[in-house]
Amino acid sequence: MKPAIHDASARQPSGGPLRVPGRGSNRNGRTRKPGVSDLEAEIAGLLDRSIQELRLAWRQLLRSGPPLGLSRDLLIRALAYDLQERAHRGANAALRRRLQRLAGASEKGALAGDTGLVLKAGTTLVRQWRGHTHTVLVGENGFDHEGQRYRSLTVIAERITGAHWSGPRFFGLTKRGHASSPVGADQ
């Protein structure tokens, strides 16, 4: 039988942050600024709190009460997210710009959910499916297919195939997957 290993690198008990000797201060004995390990310790500490303590932490951090019916698990996740966001000063500039574009598209009722995809009114999409050619005309407020007006390409793709399809993917407008490319796109 092998003797027990008494080494600082040996497995630490789970349930809390790792304690590493010598961390927490620099060579001069001064304490370091709060950093990632402090954040990790604070987040790990959420797991040991009761639901009442989590609600109190929510009130202290967010200056309002948590939503009614929020489970303990979701309270922990939301608080952990908020702590990380505060520690890392929120979302980066690229993410904020993308969120602003998505919010603007949502307010305008944009035709496509993908902000990289803009279909101009008058564009014709053509797709062959099981020997039949389907033509869709992009309008200002929707799409025309076989004399009917639709709000989304997905509804048209579902009508054509009889199954749930992503409309932009069905008409070859996305990079994802290997859907057939549009046969013609006129302006």
Side-chain angles (χ1 to χ4, degrees):
M1 186 163 165
K2 292 185 180 181
I5 298 173
H6 299 288
D7 185 1
S9 66
R11 186 168 185 236
Q12 298 289 319
S14 62
L18 295 177
R19 303 280 186 239
V20 179
R23 288 252 174 118
S25 63
N26 61 18
R27 291 181 195 172
N28 299 330
R30 289 185 234 136
T31 58
R32 60 181 169 76
K33 294 180 182 176
V36 175
S37 61
D38 293 336
L39 175 64
E40 290 172 354
E42 195 168 354
I43 291 171
L46 294 173
L47 297 172
D48 297 329
R49 293 186 181 186
S50 69
I51 196 158
Q52 291 81 13
E53 292 171 326
L54 291 170
R55 288 181 180 140
L56 179 61
W58 181 292
R59 285 184 191 94
Q60 291 171 344
L61 279 173
L62 301 172
R63 308 269 188 241
S64 68
L68 295 175
L70 202 61
S71 69
R72 182 177 182 278
D73 180 57
L74 287 177
L75 276 170
I76 291 171
R77 289 171 187 252
L79 287 168
Y81 176 84
D82 189 67
L83 290 169
Q84 290 172 355
E85 187 178 43
R86 288 170 189 248
H88 299 292
R89 294 177 177 43
N92 64 23
L95 178 59
R96 284 194 302 271
R97 283 192 305 270
R98 179 172 164 99
L99 289 172
Q100 287 296 329
R101 278 197 314 268
L102 288 172
S106 175
E107 289 171 4
K108 295 175 188 174
L111 298 176
D114 183 2
T115 58
L117 174 66
V118 178
L119 296 175
K120 293 182 180 179
T123 301
T124 302
L125 304 172
V126 180
R127 169 73 198 270
Q128 286 196 343
W129 179 258
R130 296 193 175 164
H132 189 265
T133 302
H134 297 274
T135 305
V136 175
L137 179 64
V138 178
E140 290 288 330
N141 298 319
F143 304 92
D144 291 323
H145 176 254
E146 296 182 345
Q148 288 189 330
R149 180 89 134 166
Y150 297 92
R151 281 187 59 117
S152 75
L153 287 173
T154 300
V155 175
I156 297 170
E158 287 176 356
R159 285 204 119 195
I160 292 170
T161 64
H164 178 71
W165 269 79
S166 161
R169 188 172 177 192
F170 178 78
F171 285 98
L173 301 173
T174 61
K175 294 177 186 174
R176 193 173 146 214
H178 298 300
S180 299
S181 298
V183 176
D186 302 327
Q187 299 227 5

